[in-house]
Amino acid sequence: MADLTQRLFGTQWQSPVLLASGTCGYGEEYAELIPLDEIGGIVTKAVSLEPRSGNPPHRVSETPGGMINAIGLQNVGLAAFIREKLPWLRDNLVRARVLINVVGHTEDEFEAVVAGLDGEDGFLGFEINVSCPNVKDGTLFGTDPAGLAGLVATLRRATARPLVVKLTPNVPDIGLYARICEENGADGLSTINTFPGMLIDVGKRRPVIGNVSGGVSGPAILPMGVYLTWRARQSSSLPILGIGGIRSSDDALQYILAGASLVQIGTALFVDPEVAVAVHRGVEAYCTESETPLRELVGGVQIPDRD
Amino acid sequence: MADLTQRLFGTQWQSPVLLASGTCGYGEEYAELIPLDEIGGIVTKAVSLEPRSGNPPHRVSETPGGMINAIGLQNVGLAAFIREKLPWLRDNLVRARVLINVVGHTEDEFEAVVAGLDGEDGFLGFEINVSCPNVKDGTLFGTDPAGLAGLVATLRRATARPLVVKLTPNVPDIGLYARICEENGADGLSTINTFPGMLIDVGKRRPVIGNVSGGVSGPAILPMGVYLTWRARQSSSLPILGIGGIRSSDDALQYILAGASLVQIGTALFVDPEVAVAVHRGVEAYCTESETPLRELVGGVQIPDRD
Amino acid sequence: MNAPIRDWAEVREIRRAADETWWVELDSPAIAGRARPGQFVMVGLGVEQVAAPFLPRPFSVGLAGPDRTVGLLLREFGAGTRRLARLRDGDRVLLLGPLGQAFSVSSDRPVVCIAGGVGLAPFLFLAAEQRKLGRQVRLLYGERTADRVFSSELIEELTGVAPIIYTEDGSAGHQGLVLAGIRPEEEPALLACGPTPMLQAVARLAIEHGLPLQVSVEEHMGCGIGTCQGCVVRSASGEWIKSCTEGPVFDARELSWPT
Amino acid sequence: MNAPIRDWAEVREIRRAADETWWVELDSPAIAGRARPGQFVMVGLGVEQVAAPFLPRPFSVGLAGPDRTVGLLLREFGAGTRRLARLRDGDRVLLLGPLGQAFSVSSDRPVVCIAGGVGLAPFLFLAAEQRKLGRQVRLLYGERTADRVFSSELIEELTGVAPIIYTEDGSAGHQGLVLAGIRPEEEPALLACGPTPMLQAVARLAIEHGLPLQVSVEEHMGCGIGTCQGCVVRSASGEWIKSCTEGPVFDARELSWPT
Ligand SMILES: Cc1cc2nc3c(=O)[nH]c(=O)nc-3n(C[C@H](O)[C@H](O)[C@H](O)COP(=O)(O)OP(=O)(O)OC[C@H]3O[C@@H](n4cnc5c(N)ncnc54)[C@H](O)[C@@H]3O)c2cc1C
Ligand SMILES: Cc1cc2nc3c(=O)[nH]c(=O)nc-3n(C[C@H](O)[C@H](O)[C@H](O)COP(=O)(O)OP(=O)(O)OC[C@H]3O[C@@H](n4cnc5c(N)ncnc54)[C@H](O)[C@@H]3O)c2cc1C
Ligand SMILES: Cc1cc2nc3c(=O)[nH]c(=O)nc-3n(C[C@H](O)[C@H](O)[C@H](O)COP(=O)(O)O)c2cc1C
Ligand SMILES: Cc1cc2nc3c(=O)[nH]c(=O)nc-3n(C[C@H](O)[C@H](O)[C@H](O)COP(=O)(O)O)c2cc1C
Ligand code: FES
Ligand code: FES
């Protein structure tokens, strides 16, 4: 039997497959479609200090091989999240792990969310979203080395829980940002968030997306995500959660071989919720056939000698 | 009748459609498949000072909704280009315009290529490639503001011909680089080159691409290219050549409405060489139906007021 | 609320119903057995491919019943629907449904359905059900031109109700907008489904005359089940609310209408 | 050199030939009329869609003649060929061809064709032509197992040549690698097409015995016509040369072989 378990972030993971932030709400809606407690876990929709109302429609549209979204981080805010969403996660996800995706306009706001959640039950740790292209300042921390260093250091002081930083692909060298996270006390990295994109309705001569631009996700970005995961892995020894365009176990294994310990599935859930389980099973079959425990595959891509 | 003509870079353009660098060789191979002299023109494969042998195979592969390539700028080098390739362009492209894509490891090398070509016949100007992700140092100038400023200023001194700089998408704010090009004397911008990507053969646990990573192009990157064209347009008044994922007149019009005066078609040529003419015809039909000359469409996307 | 069902359903039949418009019958007893008029299904082709429709597309359930197929009225609009229109008998599509809120019809007053274009779909289902219960349904159905009109024989065959047809150019049925068919003074409850400008006009009219109105709205969707927040419309109080779970059918008073 | 032809060709027939292997006949008189054995065509589905095969895929011309169809031997390998295998009679594919260099066969000595897997394709065409000219062809054809073997009746029907079949497990024909069928001492000229390890083995053998050998190589391709430099193989002098225009058929001495 294949061994898919890993010890990461101070806990046991039964599966490498998580659902990505913003594509699975706070878990509940998928509860009857996906056996959530049998996969690795979920990353919640972003939680901000105050509720956010989000962007005007259209908020989503298909793009070639993917989709674009500009939700604008619409969410109920910290207080309502604790009151209305966290209890369900606590009661229903026991073997699966929960990361809470956190956003803020300022360092203080990030800190307030992390500190406000730290004492609660029902989740493992945080995924810090410094990489949302769909709100003003969304990638501010993610593209500014000094800002990122300061933010991570501050949040490190605010919590002893696992702190994963979700990086933006939108930089010349993701390795720099990976190192900054590591040096300032982060426990892990998520690579990657969406790419800024725009669609224009040429009939109306207007942007399709209400917010004008949005973030591109889905299969279209798979090779970029695999590359950036591999780059991040070259530059840091933090465990990585690989994200971007995954819709099959082959895709997931590319991330794993590139250096991801865990993977997240986003857009593909909209196409078929069963993809989460299918990816888990496919990775399991691969480990069985190659008689290799999952953890030994992580980063296992063989790079040929260059001449 | 639709008016597709524009005056740009000191010359008349009969069509906004060009073939993108690296996807049409030096024109000759497409001569019998595409009526080259009836479209806007072509951008040659990169020319470097010395011949380059390029990367080991595999050099290309399909990705979801696109492709990845790592040719490694294999080319015959400046001298052989002038001897063997330029004469054909001079003799065969009369109404269509030719831009020569130029690469170099150092500022001196870029300068030597531009200076070496400047006195020759058969082309209009240069597209400076500071954005190739497939060779070491390929994006060095494209991601370093000071390096880019110096390079553009140097090349400006080396030639009076149109100087177009081809930008990399791989930066937090393309507007910064657009402004640097403008301030240092460039005449135009090409947005965008490919995104770094990687594919892994999970059976062999090896990168598919001989060079390990490569550049992702094709429909998958369309929304990113439209966005970056729009951003560049916000930050600079230089004419823009929009590139990335174009395979229909609708795609081309998105770039044009976002701010591109001209567009380039790359990957789609491999799928169907006739796409170049089809895009031209489709843009023509759009101009006819909307009774608008092409030049008035450029940058014509209406951005809704935000509240 | 019942959980939506995920089902690979076979195309039992796809036939041309009008210009660029198709009637599609899908074998999905489980979804058919649960769907209510006004609900929708997400129709996709699975994760194995990335061509449009990569994301599944929402479609109103156009007809359904226990042990029956799910009927869809499909109009070619962009690349995704064009591809779906090319399906052939025996092909399979991935369904998720039934989703969203249905129309609510009370037994004490007859309904008037106002359909614009493929906004007809939910009313086929609704009319058929109401007729089976022996109730009266008035079905106003507007299209731009005759070649777009879903055959009125087929509508009668499917529902037992003869539609009152309007075309903008008068090439079929009455000439004019479907709006012209509404008799504000004597209508009981209005149900409307169609393009947003039509819904706005009907809403204005309903408000003016104090008529109860339910509308089915159309917004781009990601998930269809309430997780992505992609499908929002503006509520009367100015909030963005999800049309996939709180709609697509809303009491017109719940929404904000431009004045 | 003649310019390649771009042609939307109809699938006249697609039939299963072996496990995951299909024989496809495409209506393309113009390409069929020009193709020579060893040349290939790029087979795509046009720019309207982005699912694999988004880029066209190279296939050896498996049979052709004036006024005839282009025959392809298609094996499912990845997503692109799986989708092509799902084509049905009447569907259309976009062809570009004929492309590349053909085998060169001199009239004075009979040829021996060494085919591994779907490397059989060009030799169907070649054998048929040679037979028509009344010449002898020895066709060695290897597969892993019997269920992969393209029916030897069909080969005979298409070419007039009875193949000598090898399977690794002996489940059809002779047991062993196709290499075993080569009689170095008595063979005249060798032609080989198949997986790279097979080609390497044949090349070693040919070098050892001083036999003339032409090989058809397989490399990933972008354009198929020499513009993208995507399809390179290493020449004997260590250069990267394009297999789409200078190949896919090379004299084995032009290439560099690992030792
Ligand atoms: C609740 C609901 C019920 C519907 N019922 C029907 C029906 O019964 N029959 C029918 O023919 N059509 C129906 N539609 C509309 C149908 O979903 C769209 O025509 C379809 O999504 C357009 O896809 P496309 O790829 O052809 O268009 P494209 O414009 O190429 O699609 C691009 C993107 O925009 C989205 N999009 C574009 N137009 C619409 C739209 N009107 N609604 C939702 N998303 C859109 C697509 O989903 C896709 O993500 C319904 C829509 C909704 C929301
Ligand atoms: C000159 C030539 C002639 C060929 N003739 C035949 C034939 O007659 N019958 C047949 O069944 N196959 C033939 N092939 C191989 C065929 O092109 C591949 O099987 C096909 O490209 C694989 O596509 P895929 O999408 O199924 O595989 P995937 O692995 O999903 O493809 C991913 C990418 O890799 C490329 N690729 C993968 N394997 C190959 C390969 N072996 N050759 C070229 N590109 C590859 C694809 O083109 C694509 O870009 C030939 C290849 C060449 C170069
Ligand atoms: C509709 C939608 C909403 C998203 N919301 C968030 C979010 O709130 N926080 C975040 O960090 N990422 C968010 N993302 C990004 C995803 O978590 C993920 O990084 C990205 O979509 C790439 O993965 P995919 O290609 O599998 O979708 C969102 C993505 C989508 C499509
Ligand atoms: C095979 C290939 C080779 C390329 N070579 C070059 C090059 O030499 N110089 C350059 O500036 N861009 C090169 N590019 C990038 C293209 O010019 C273009 O910017 C990119 O492919 C995006 O456009 P597309 O999506 O239409 O292909 C190359 C692209 C491909 C696919
Ligand atoms: S479509 Fe995702 S929340 Fe409605
Ligand atoms: S495939 Fe493009 S040069 Fe050979």
Side-chain angles (χ1 to χ4, degrees):
Chain A
M1 251 304 284
D3 178 4
L4 295 194
T5 62
Q6 296 179 92
R7 244 200 116 71
L8 293 165
F9 309 126
T11 191
Q12 184 81 357
W13 296 77
Q14 64 186 350
S15 161
V17 179
L18 287 86
L19 310 188
S21 178
T23 62
C24 60
Y26 305 103
E28 213 168 333
E29 292 86 351
Y30 276 118
E32 309 204 44
L33 284 163
I34 303 172
L36 292 180
D37 210 26
E38 289 167 32
I39 62 171
I42 76 163
V43 186
T44 67
K45 175 73 192 160
V47 176
S48 57
L49 188 55
E50 304 299 331
R52 292 195 190 184
S53 65
N55 293 324
H58 306 311
R59 289 183 171 184
V60 296
S61 208
E62 183 161 322
T63 65
M67 70 177 284
I68 186 168
N69 88 81
I71 307 299
L73 301 176
Q74 173 163 2
N75 81 96
V76 295
L78 175 65
F81 172 76
I82 292 176
R83 210 171 45 236
E84 295 161 18
K85 307 294 179 185
L86 202 48
W88 188 90
L89 291 169
R90 185 191 56 218
D91 296 344
N92 290 278
L93 299 195
V94 178
R95 284 163 304 160
R97 306 289 166 238
V98 176
L99 295 176
I100 298 177
N101 187 270
V102 176
V103 281
H105 289 297
T106 61
E107 201 175 288
D108 286 352
E109 215 176 306
F110 272 104
E111 191 185 1
V113 178
V114 167
L117 282 162
D118 197 51
E120 301 291 331
D121 275 353
F123 72 106
L124 174 70
F126 302 99
E127 180 179 68
I128 306 304
N129 179 358
V130 293
S131 47
C132 178
N134 306 328
V135 292
K136 215 166 138 278
D137 309 342
T139 58
L140 201 70
F141 291 100
T143 57
D144 167 27
L148 182 63
L151 178 67
V152 175
T154 299
L155 299 182
R156 180 70 294 165
R157 284 188 298 270
T159 183
R161 290 182 185 257
L163 203 58
V164 173
V165 182
K166 186 162 177 182
L167 299 176
T168 171
N170 218 24
V171 293
D173 175 16
I174 204 169
L176 170 67
Y177 299 86
R179 277 192 305 275
I180 289 171
C181 291
E182 182 163 17
E183 284 159 13
N184 287 279
D187 300 298
L189 302 170
S190 289
T191 52
I192 54 175
N193 213 313
T194 54
F195 285 86
M198 181 173 180
L199 283 181
I200 296 177
D201 181 324
V202 307
K204 301 195 177 125
R205 297 189 198 164
R206 282 217 304 258
V208 170
I209 294 296
N211 183 52
V212 180
S213 64
V216 178
S217 63
I221 69 168
L222 176 81
M224 291 80 140
V226 172
Y227 172 74
L228 291 164
T229 297
W230 180 68
R231 291 287 301 162
R233 176 76 175 193
Q234 308 287 295
S235 313
S236 128
S237 60
L238 295 180
I240 298 174
L241 294 91
I243 323 170
I246 297 175
R247 64 192 159 112
S248 69
S249 55
D250 188 279
D251 297 342
L253 286 161
Q254 291 195 53
Y255 275 95
I256 291 165
L257 292 167
S261 303
L262 304 169
V263 296
Q264 299 182 25
I265 302 179
T267 304
L269 292 174
F270 302 158
V271 182
D272 185 358
E274 218 155 274
V275 74
V277 171
V279 169
H280 172 94
R281 295 235 175 88
V283 172
E284 192 171 45
Y286 183 93
C287 291
T288 305
E289 272 161 45
S290 60
E291 297 179 6
T292 318
L294 172 63
R295 74 187 78 90
E296 289 179 20
L297 293 176
V298 174
V301 63
Q302 291 151 35
I303 303 299
D305 295 335
R306 308 222 205 171
D307 46 15
Chain B
M1 251 305 283
D3 178 5
L4 293 194
T5 62
Q6 297 180 90
R7 243 200 116 69
L8 293 166
F9 309 126
T11 192
Q12 184 81 356
W13 295 77
Q14 62 185 352
S15 160
V17 178
L18 288 87
L19 311 188
S21 178
T23 63
C24 60
Y26 305 102
E28 213 169 332
E29 293 85 352
Y30 275 119
E32 307 206 45
L33 284 163
I34 302 173
L36 291 180
D37 209 26
E38 289 167 31
I39 62 171
I42 77 162
V43 187
T44 68
K45 176 73 192 162
V47 176
S48 57
L49 187 56
E50 303 298 333
R52 291 196 190 183
S53 65
N55 293 323
H58 306 311
R59 288 182 172 186
V60 297
S61 208
E62 183 160 322
T63 65
M67 70 176 285
I68 186 168
N69 88 81
I71 307 299
L73 301 177
Q74 174 164 1
N75 81 95
V76 294
L78 176 64
F81 172 76
I82 292 176
R83 208 171 49 236
E84 296 162 18
K85 307 293 178 185
L86 202 47
W88 187 91
L89 291 169
R90 185 191 55 218
D91 297 343
N92 290 277
L93 298 195
V94 178
R95 286 163 302 161
R97 306 287 165 241
V98 176
L99 295 175
I100 299 178
N101 188 270
V102 176
V103 282
H105 289 298
T106 62
E107 202 176 287
D108 287 351
E109 215 177 307
F110 272 105
E111 193 185 359
V113 178
V114 166
L117 283 163
D118 197 50
E120 301 291 331
D121 276 351
F123 73 106
L124 174 70
F126 302 99
E127 180 179 69
I128 305 304
N129 180 357
V130 293
S131 46
C132 179
N134 305 329
V135 292
K136 214 166 140 275
D137 308 340
T139 59
L140 200 70
F141 291 99
T143 58
D144 168 26
L148 182 62
L151 177 67
V152 175
T154 298
L155 299 182
R156 180 69 296 166
R157 284 189 297 272
T159 184
R161 290 182 185 257
L163 202 59
V164 173
V165 182
K166 185 161 178 184
L167 298 176
T168 170
N170 218 24
V171 292
D173 175 16
I174 202 168
L176 170 67
Y177 299 87
R179 277 192 304 274
I180 289 172
C181 291
E182 183 163 15
E183 284 159 13
N184 288 280
D187 299 298
L189 303 169
S190 289
T191 54
I192 55 176
N193 214 314
T194 54
F195 285 86
M198 180 173 180
L199 284 180
I200 296 176
D201 181 325
V202 308
K204 301 194 178 127
R205 296 189 199 165
R206 283 217 304 258
V208 170
I209 294 295
N211 183 52
V212 179
S213 63
V216 178
S217 62
I221 69 169
L222 176 80
M224 291 79 141
V226 172
Y227 172 75
L228 292 164
T229 298
W230 180 68
R231 290 288 300 162
R233 175 77 176 190
Q234 309 286 297
S235 312
S236 128
S237 60
L238 296 179
I240 299 174
L241 293 91
I243 323 170
I246 297 175
R247 63 190 160 113
S248 69
S249 56
D250 189 278
D251 297 343
L253 286 161
Q254 291 195 51
Y255 275 95
I256 290 166
L257 291 167
S261 303
L262 304 169
V263 296
Q264 297 182 25
I265 303 179
T267 303
L269 293 175
F270 302 159
V271 182
D272 185 358
E274 219 155 274
V275 75
V277 170
V279 169
H280 172 92
R281 296 236 173 89
V283 172
E284 192 172 45
Y286 183 92
C287 291
T288 304
E289 273 161 45
S290 59
E291 297 179 5
T292 317
L294 173 62
R295 73 186 78 90
E296 288 178 22
L297 292 176
V298 174
V301 63
Q302 292 150 36
I303 303 299
D305 296 334
R306 309 222 204 170
D307 46 14
Chain C
M1 201 196 78
N2 281 319
I5 296 160
R6 171 194 175 276
D7 190 21
W8 276 104
E10 200 178 294
V11 176
R12 192 184 281 179
E13 201 193 327
I14 173 161
R15 57 171 143 154
R16 198 172 164 287
D19 211 27
E20 300 186 336
T21 311
W22 306 78
W23 178 249
V24 189
E25 291 187 1
L26 302 168
D27 243 323
S28 185
I31 294 178
R34 280 247 307 272
R36 307 284 314 124
Q39 287 190 300
F40 68 99
V41 287
M42 296 296 275
V43 181
L45 299 176
V47 291
E48 295 236 325
Q49 62 88 46
V50 298
F54 164 64
L55 292 179
R57 302 291 193 257
F59 290 92
S60 300
V61 176
L63 212 58
D67 271 19
R68 295 267 320 269
T69 52
V70 171
L72 306 180
L73 183 56
L74 165 75
R75 178 156 288 170
E76 296 182 44
F77 178 76
T81 46
R82 268 203 304 278
R83 171 117 171 266
L84 291 176
R86 235 86 323 132
L87 287 168
R88 307 183 210 180
D89 299 357
D91 284 344
R92 297 198 316 153
V93 296
L94 183 56
L95 294 182
L96 191 67
L99 302 168
Q101 307 299 323
F103 286 106
S104 100
V105 181
S106 69
S107 55
D108 54 355
R109 46 184 179 185
V111 288
V112 182
C113 303
I114 306 155
V118 282
L120 175 67
F123 297 133
L124 293 175
F125 189 8
L126 187 130
E129 287 221 341
Q130 293 296 306
R131 287 296 301 155
K132 255 183 255 151
L133 297 170
R135 298 194 195 137
Q136 287 304 323
V137 176
R138 224 158 76 76
L139 174 53
L140 309 176
Y141 166 39
E143 290 281 6
R144 209 162 310 142
T145 51
D147 52 1
R148 310 274 283 181
V149 174
F150 190 67
S151 126
S152 80
E153 289 72 42
L154 192 50
I155 296 178
E156 268 204 75
E157 180 194 319
L158 294 172
T159 67
V161 174
I164 305 163
I165 293 172
Y166 290 79
T167 53
E168 291 181 26
D169 63 356
S171 54
H174 305 273
Q175 200 229 308
L177 297 175
V178 67
L179 228 60
I182 305 176
R183 297 172 302 209
E185 316 306 329
E186 39 185 289
E187 303 289 9
L190 302 181
L191 312 178
C193 183
T196 306
M198 181 198 104
L199 296 185
Q200 287 170 350
V202 177
R204 264 195 303 273
L205 193 137
I207 290 165
E208 196 181 309
H209 294 272
L211 294 171
L213 167 65
Q214 294 169 56
V215 294
S216 176
V217 301
E218 272 188 18
E219 189 42 74
H220 289 202
M221 291 185 175
C223 65
I225 61 166
T227 72
C228 77
Q229 319 251 28
C231 59
V232 297
V233 291
R234 208 187 268 285
S235 75
S237 61
E239 303 286 291
W240 295 118
I241 55 176
K242 294 183 273 196
S243 65
C244 70
T245 49
E246 304 187 36
V249 175
F250 291 96
D251 187 309
R253 288 166 303 188
E254 292 174 69
L255 301 181
S256 103
W257 299 98
T259 42
Chain D
M1 200 196 79
N2 280 318
I5 296 161
R6 169 194 176 274
D7 190 20
W8 275 104
E10 200 177 295
V11 176
R12 192 185 280 180
E13 200 193 329
I14 173 161
R15 57 172 142 153
R16 197 172 166 289
D19 211 25
E20 300 185 337
T21 311
W22 306 78
W23 178 250
V24 189
E25 290 186 0
L26 302 168
D27 243 324
S28 186
I31 294 177
R34 280 247 307 271
R36 306 282 316 122
Q39 288 191 298
F40 67 100
V41 288
M42 296 295 276
V43 181
L45 298 176
V47 291
E48 295 236 324
Q49 62 87 47
V50 298
F54 164 64
L55 292 179
R57 301 290 194 257
F59 289 92
S60 299
V61 176
L63 212 57
D67 272 19
R68 294 269 320 269
T69 52
V70 171
L72 305 179
L73 184 57
L74 165 75
R75 179 156 287 170
E76 297 182 43
F77 178 75
T81 45
R82 268 203 303 278
R83 171 116 170 267
L84 292 176
R86 243 60 350 119
L87 286 168
R88 307 182 209 180
D89 297 358
D91 284 344
R92 297 200 314 155
V93 295
L94 184 56
L95 294 183
L96 191 67
L99 302 168
Q101 306 300 323
F103 285 106
S104 99
V105 181
S106 67
S107 55
D108 56 353
R109 47 184 180 185
V111 289
V112 181
C113 304
I114 305 154
V118 281
L120 175 66
F123 298 133
L124 294 175
F125 190 8
L126 188 130
E129 287 219 342
Q130 293 295 306
R131 286 297 299 154
K132 255 183 255 154
L133 297 170
R135 299 193 196 137
Q136 287 304 322
V137 176
R138 225 158 74 78
L139 174 53
L140 308 176
Y141 167 38
E143 290 281 6
R144 209 161 311 140
T145 53
D147 50 3
R148 311 273 284 180
V149 174
F150 189 68
S151 124
S152 80
E153 289 72 41
L154 192 49
I155 295 177
E156 269 204 75
E157 178 194 318
L158 294 171
T159 66
V161 175
I164 304 163
I165 292 172
Y166 289 79
T167 52
E168 291 181 26
D169 63 356
S171 53
H174 305 273
Q175 200 228 308
L177 298 176
V178 66
L179 228 60
I182 306 175
R183 296 171 302 207
E185 316 306 330
E186 39 186 290
E187 304 289 10
L190 302 180
L191 312 179
C193 182
T196 306
M198 180 199 105
L199 296 185
Q200 287 171 350
V202 178
R204 262 194 305 272
L205 194 136
I207 291 164
E208 196 180 308
H209 294 272
L211 293 172
L213 166 66
Q214 294 169 57
V215 295
S216 175
V217 302
E218 272 187 18
E219 188 42 74
H220 289 204
M221 291 186 175
C223 65
I225 61 166
T227 73
C228 78
Q229 318 250 29
C231 59
V232 296
V233 292
R234 210 187 267 284
S235 74
S237 61
E239 303 287 288
W240 295 118
I241 55 176
K242 294 184 274 196
S243 65
C244 69
T245 48
E246 304 187 35
V249 175
F250 291 94
D251 187 310
R253 287 166 303 187
E254 293 175 68
L255 301 180
S256 105
W257 299 99
T259 41

